[in-house]
Amino acid sequence: MMAPVSIRDHLIHLYGEDAGEAAMTHVERLLVDFQKRTASPSVAGPISQRDLLLITYPDQVLEDGRDPLQVLYEFLEPRIAGLVTAVHLLPFFPSSSDDGFSVVDYRSVDPAFGDWEDVSRFAETYRLMVDAVLNHTSAGSAWFQGFCRGEEPWQDFYIAPDPQADWSNVIRPRSTPLFTAFDTARGPASVWTTFSADQVDLNYANPRVLLEMVEVLLGYLRRGAQWIRLDAVGYLWKAAGSTCLHLPQTHRVVRLLRAILDQAAPWARLITETNVPHVDNVAYFGAGDEAHMVYQFSLAPLIVHTLLSGDATALTTWAQSWTVPPPGACYLNFIASHDGIGLTPTRGILDDAALDRLMEKARACGGVSYRTTQAGTLQPYELNVNLLDLLSADGSDVRRFLLAHAILLSFAGVPALYFHSLFGTRGDPQAVQRTGHLRSINRQKLDRIELESELATAGSIRARIFEGLGGLIRARQSLEALDPSA
């Protein structure tokens, strides 16, 4: 077996001898400080078939006059004890758009949600997953404002690319412009914005950016996070003439972060979120030296296709061809989340006719979003729907919805359930009208009193789904054959 590549080697490979050595000195200081101030989490140990992740917004459950993080914890604790072992708190940082993913300050909790003590409370009971939104910051962040003013160290933290360079091969996840014009102290500048004009991409060719983010990640671990989710990590590194997606430097950064976690916090887990075709997705396992867990994006559209078409051929064929993760790694399986159901991961698996049928079903209860291809055409990107609405036209027939989760819970890996799935929420088309964003249909916030009343009503849709899913989860927990390492 080859010896693992050191943190120093990764840094020198990315930045050259001198800059790499200087960066290594900085990392060593961060690691010494981290180890002095950080203890292993109270909820730790190996992952097993008993583990299940709940995905939730910090302000998912609301009660007048109270901090949402406190309300959420109090609502969840008596209901999910024994069912859920890990909680993914979606971004709780101050942000300016995209429901938290346009981060203004990585090191703060939005006071509208609560404070760090409220976040750490979850870590005392569950394995806590926190988002590392590495690719971009908010245009309103102090970092980017410093860039616009030409201040150090921020003036090289973002990417104002050479307009004469070849960017024709860049793969886009959106149909919005790749570059956005901003006024700066040096005059108007076109700056890289992969996802929106309010989400400005960071420049990882500058080692100071990487070092800043390493410090941020270690801060999350110190606050109790065990699982670090690398949001949209595939777009991290940019190079003229390339696709700017899954570049070797991006994989090198993931390997570097893994090496840092292995040394500083061996109990921590790194999870990559890459909504891309299966072969590109599983590449983030590396040789067992990148992600501990990889989101399994193909599973959701294939389960939906199977249950709506009555044909399991595509799902079965794909499952039989799964890449076996390296030792100690596993898949993170889900069929609903705060985002839509991605269609890109079905490329090469479902034909155009099958995709057309899925989109027709989605439009009846939600919508379909598109991305711009390299050829400049629009390509279907995701179904923006609520899963219960998609699988049951009026929400009253929960059998197909429960069957979808029985399939999910049977797959190898760690299952993840979205809050709205566990508690039987319907879609919110009015939210789409209010915000103008298709994803809003599945991001509604719930009143605690109304939610608790509906769950307590025997025979209600919420009660039937919560009880049904609870039975399936307990069945999974009893089967050692479903241990991710089995």
Side-chain angles (χ1 to χ4, degrees):
M1 180 183 296
M2 294 178 60
V5 179
S6 70
I7 297 171
R8 172 179 278 101
D9 290 339
H10 289 311
L11 289 169
I12 291 174
H13 185 94
L14 286 167
Y15 301 115
E17 191 77 30
D18 292 343
E21 285 291 354
M24 184 63 206
T25 300
H26 191 97
V27 169
E28 287 173 336
R29 288 198 298 267
L30 292 176
L31 293 178
V32 168
D33 178 68
F34 176 83
Q35 289 163 344
K36 283 181 179 178
R37 301 169 57 190
T38 309
S40 297
S42 56
V43 183
I47 294 171
S48 75
Q49 78 278 6
R50 301 193 64 82
D51 281 296
L52 183 139
L53 175 72
L54 178 68
I55 306 165
T56 178
Y57 279 101
D59 57 343
Q60 192 69 77
V61 183
L62 302 175
E63 182 179 335
D64 287 344
R66 300 197 59 207
D67 288 341
L69 280 168
Q70 295 178 13
V71 175
L72 177 65
Y73 184 89
E74 290 177 6
F75 170 81
L76 288 176
E77 180 55 20
R79 292 174 175 82
I80 66 174
L83 295 179
V84 172
T85 61
V87 171
H88 174 197
L89 285 180
L90 289 160
F92 45 78
F93 320 108
S95 70
S96 54
S97 63
D98 198 17
D99 289 311
F101 284 92
S102 297
V103 179
V104 171
D105 182 359
Y106 291 107
R107 293 180 169 88
S108 298
V109 175
D110 190 328
F113 302 147
D115 55 29
W116 276 116
E117 185 175 342
D118 297 321
V119 172
S120 296
R121 188 181 183 191
F122 281 87
E124 295 170 1
T125 310
Y126 311 100
R127 304 181 194 267
L128 175 63
M129 179 189 281
V130 172
D131 284 281
V133 188
L134 299 182
N135 185 71
H136 51 261
T137 71
S138 164
S141 68
W143 293 11
F144 187 66
Q145 293 305 305
F147 166 85
C148 290
R149 291 190 297 267
E151 297 172 353
E152 288 290 352
W154 317 115
Q155 63 179 356
D156 197 30
F157 262 52
Y158 297 89
I159 305 167
D162 178 359
Q164 304 304 316
D166 178 12
W167 305 112
S168 61
N169 294 320
V170 175
I171 292 179
R172 303 298 319 288
R174 296 286 187 274
S175 57
T176 52
L178 181 59
F179 308 128
T180 300
F182 291 93
D183 292 327
T184 75
R186 301 174 298 281
S190 292
V191 184
W192 200 298
T193 51
T194 294
F195 291 94
S196 79
D198 189 41
Q199 294 168 303
V200 193
D201 287 43
L202 289 161
N203 177 21
Y204 281 88
N206 175 4
R208 298 178 75 172
V209 173
L210 179 62
L211 294 173
E212 193 76 30
M213 296 309 296
V214 168
E215 185 173 340
V216 166
L217 266 57
L218 292 176
Y220 297 160
L221 296 173
R222 191 160 51 242
R223 298 284 190 175
Q226 284 193 56
W227 294 359
I228 300 294
R229 175 185 182 269
L230 302 183
D231 175 68
V233 69
Y235 299 93
L236 197 70
W237 202 281
K238 282 75 174 175
S242 76
T243 62
C244 298
L245 181 61
H246 314 311
L247 296 189
Q249 296 94 326
T250 296
H251 282 279
R252 179 71 68 162
V253 170
V254 176
R255 292 170 68 194
L256 168 64
L257 296 178
R258 170 66 180 272
I260 290 173
L261 260 62
D262 285 349
Q263 180 171 328
W267 36 264
R269 295 292 179 267
L270 203 62
I271 298 94
T272 50
E273 187 261 349
T274 52
N275 188 357
V276 294
H278 183 71
V279 65
D280 297 316
N281 196 26
V282 298
Y284 283 89
F285 283 128
D289 56 354
E290 291 190 39
H292 295 90
M293 284 185 268
V294 164
Y295 273 80
Q296 186 53 279
F297 274 96
S298 299
L299 187 59
L302 288 176
I303 288 179
V304 169
H305 161 76
T306 298
L307 295 182
L308 293 180
S309 69
D311 184 354
T313 304
L315 176 63
T316 303
T317 303
W318 169 77
Q320 290 171 337
S321 68
W322 260 27
T323 300
V324 177
C330 66
Y331 290 102
L332 186 66
N333 299 319
F334 72 105
I335 52 175
S337 75
H338 57 292
D339 291 337
I341 297 174
L343 297 178
T344 303
T346 66
R347 198 178 303 151
I349 303 174
L350 296 181
D351 59 25
D352 289 344
L355 290 175
D356 287 342
R357 288 192 294 271
L358 280 179
M359 289 189 289
E360 181 181 357
K361 291 281 189 180
R363 291 190 184 100
C365 59
V368 179
S369 56
Y370 294 80
R371 73 175 186 89
T372 304
T373 68
Q374 291 165 276
T377 60
L378 291 179
Q379 182 182 74
Y381 181 70
E382 68 180 14
L383 309 178
N384 297 115
V385 291
N386 170 274
L387 184 63
L388 178 58
D389 290 342
L390 185 61
L391 295 179
S392 175
D394 63 359
S396 62
D397 184 357
V398 304
R399 294 173 300 170
R400 184 184 283 164
F401 184 78
L402 293 177
L403 175 56
H405 287 84
I407 298 171
L408 166 72
L409 293 167
S410 300
F411 268 87
V414 174
L417 296 186
Y418 189 33
F419 185 99
H420 290 308
S421 294
L422 183 59
F423 294 104
T425 304
R426 304 288 304 279
D428 186 7
Q430 289 76 26
V432 177
Q433 295 177 357
R434 288 195 307 270
T435 66
H437 298 298
L438 289 174
R439 284 179 169 177
S440 297
I441 198 166
N442 203 28
R443 294 182 173 184
Q444 58 269 55
K445 310 302 164 59
L446 305 174
D447 178 81
R448 179 177 181 175
I449 294 175
E450 293 179 5
L451 178 57
E452 290 180 334
S453 174
E454 292 173 12
L455 285 168
T457 302
S460 69
I461 292 174
R462 288 197 190 277
R464 290 161 59 199
I465 286 176
F466 183 65
E467 292 166 7
L469 289 177
L472 291 173
I473 293 167
R474 292 186 185 93
R476 172 188 169 83
Q477 291 174 334
S478 69
L479 298 173
E480 292 184 4
L482 295 181
D483 186 301
S485 64

